[in-house]
Amino acid sequence: MNGLDSLFNVILTTDFAFSVLRVTTPILFAALGALISNRAGIINIGMEGIMLVSALTGVIVSSYSQNAWVGLLGAVLAGTLIAGLLAFFTLKFKTHIILGGIAINMFASGGTVFILYLLSGDKGSSTSLPSKVLPSLELPLIKDIPVVGQILSGHHVLTYISIISVFVVYYLLNRTSLGLRIRSVGENSHAAQSVGVSVIKIQYTALLLSGFFAGLGGAYMSMGYLSLFTRDMIAGRGWIAIAAESMGRSTTAGTALTSLLFGAADALSNAFQVLKIPAELIATLPYVATVVGLVIYAVSETRKKNRKISAK
């Protein structure tokens, strides 16, 4: 009981709520990227690798430029470039999108370690590189509100950008001509092409945007969540983001909510440490939540299809 009491004392605090937003940030960025590409009818399986390359690039560029914002720009450009390579091989040479994404993930895992070793002589982390970290922000007025201020104020600048991005992506997909084309291509590419929409161009654009958002998520990992790059530091967040987008039924609001759910599971895994449960078991909690969520989603979708078949 003492362990459970300690757990509840940790969870029912503003610090826990603050940590949920903190750990949700990279998942949300990547999930929004996955949402855009998926709505265009092309799944970006390479989110994990794109985030990893972006995380390293942000550290390297900020280290050499001694400017965190330049580092962020480098990370975003790297993410967009890798997504562009995936789009080129997939759409130009008709490489299977799943195999292309997996190749990027494998390349990123080994390639980032190799590049890190060349630049720092270390295969584990970038501690020898004097990289910069993006700032955290105190929100005027909100920071003085009891409870709310402790939860919402003082976050990393990219956390606030991730929240704003939810509204930006919603507006993009639902209120712009580009969003209309993305949705039309994803729903029926032949019909879209018949009215003059370039399917290839729209899918290129969607994949580049997915790389842009994944780049922001990767930059946050090495320039906010941590202040350095470590080997394979994305730790499955790219895959979790893809699952969050699927569970969110490819809607902006649903994707944001499921990202928050997985962020809460990640934060909860840290809170469970007070129960003296083995760390290896605790570390599986976010991934268990991912599997459970996908099973629930699959069952729900199957039931809907069965109802439609029965209705016919």
Side-chain angles (χ1 to χ4, degrees):
M1 288 297 292
N2 289 334
L4 286 174
D5 289 340
S6 299
L7 178 63
F8 283 121
N9 288 336
V10 170
I11 294 176
L12 301 177
T13 61
T14 55
D15 288 339
F16 179 76
F18 183 94
S19 70
V20 169
L21 292 178
R22 178 173 177 266
V23 300
T24 296
T25 301
I27 298 173
L28 180 56
F29 272 132
L32 290 173
L35 170 64
I36 294 172
S37 63
N38 198 32
R39 291 302 293 269
I42 187 163
I43 302 173
N44 188 350
I45 298 295
M47 302 301 287
E48 186 86 2
I50 293 172
M51 292 175 73
L52 193 59
V53 171
S54 297
L56 177 61
T57 304
V59 165
I60 293 173
V61 174
S62 70
S63 174
Y64 282 93
S65 68
Q66 286 299 292
N67 188 305
W69 295 104
V70 174
L72 175 62
L73 177 61
V76 170
L77 289 177
T80 306
L81 175 62
I82 298 298
L85 288 175
L86 177 63
F88 179 74
F89 284 106
T90 300
L91 302 174
K92 178 70 174 179
F93 294 109
K94 306 302 178 183
T95 304
H96 197 288
I97 185 66
I98 303 297
L99 297 180
I102 292 173
I104 283 178
N105 293 335
M106 295 177 67
F107 164 77
S109 181
T112 50
V113 174
F114 177 68
I115 294 172
L116 178 64
Y117 178 72
L118 288 179
L119 295 177
S120 69
D122 193 336
K123 296 181 180 180
S125 68
S126 63
T127 50
S128 61
L129 296 177
S131 58
K132 299 298 181 179
V133 179
L134 291 164
S136 296
L137 301 177
E138 294 290 341
L139 300 180
L141 301 179
I142 292 179
K143 67 179 182 179
D144 298 321
I145 301 174
V147 181
V148 174
Q150 293 172 293
I151 295 174
L152 298 181
S153 184
H155 284 285
H156 190 269
V157 62
L158 286 178
T159 297
Y160 296 117
I161 292 176
S162 72
I163 295 171
I164 294 171
S165 295
V166 174
F167 299 97
V168 171
V169 170
Y170 176 84
Y171 184 84
L172 169 69
L173 291 176
N174 297 281
R175 297 288 186 271
T176 67
S177 59
L178 174 59
L180 176 61
R181 291 189 179 96
I182 288 174
R183 289 185 288 115
S184 63
V185 167
E187 291 169 6
N188 193 324
S189 60
H190 296 294
Q193 193 166 21
S194 68
V195 295
V197 175
S198 173
V199 173
I200 299 298
K201 182 179 179 180
I202 292 301
Q203 290 184 332
Y204 257 111
T205 302
L207 279 173
L208 290 174
L209 285 172
S210 75
F212 172 85
F213 282 105
L216 287 172
Y220 174 80
M221 288 300 299
S222 61
M223 303 175 69
Y225 191 80
L226 297 178
S227 58
L228 73 165
F229 176 86
T230 61
R231 180 173 187 167
D232 291 327
M233 69 184 305
I234 304 304
R237 288 176 176 85
W239 295 108
I240 292 174
I242 294 172
E245 190 275 335
S246 296
M247 283 183 61
R249 300 177 182 274
S250 295
T251 65
T252 311
T255 298
L257 290 174
T258 49
S259 297
L260 189 64
L261 174 65
F262 287 125
D266 197 357
L268 190 61
S269 68
N270 297 327
F272 269 133
Q273 293 177 10
V274 301
L275 296 180
K276 298 181 180 180
I277 299 173
E280 293 78 8
L281 183 59
I282 292 173
T284 65
L285 184 59
Y287 310 107
V288 170
T290 303
V291 173
V292 171
L294 287 176
V295 168
I296 294 172
Y297 171 74
V299 170
S300 174
E301 288 297 299
T302 301
R303 287 179 176 175
K304 283 186 176 181
K305 290 179 180 178
N306 290 337
R307 289 195 195 102
K308 289 180 180 179
I309 294 173
S310 299
K312 292 179 180 179

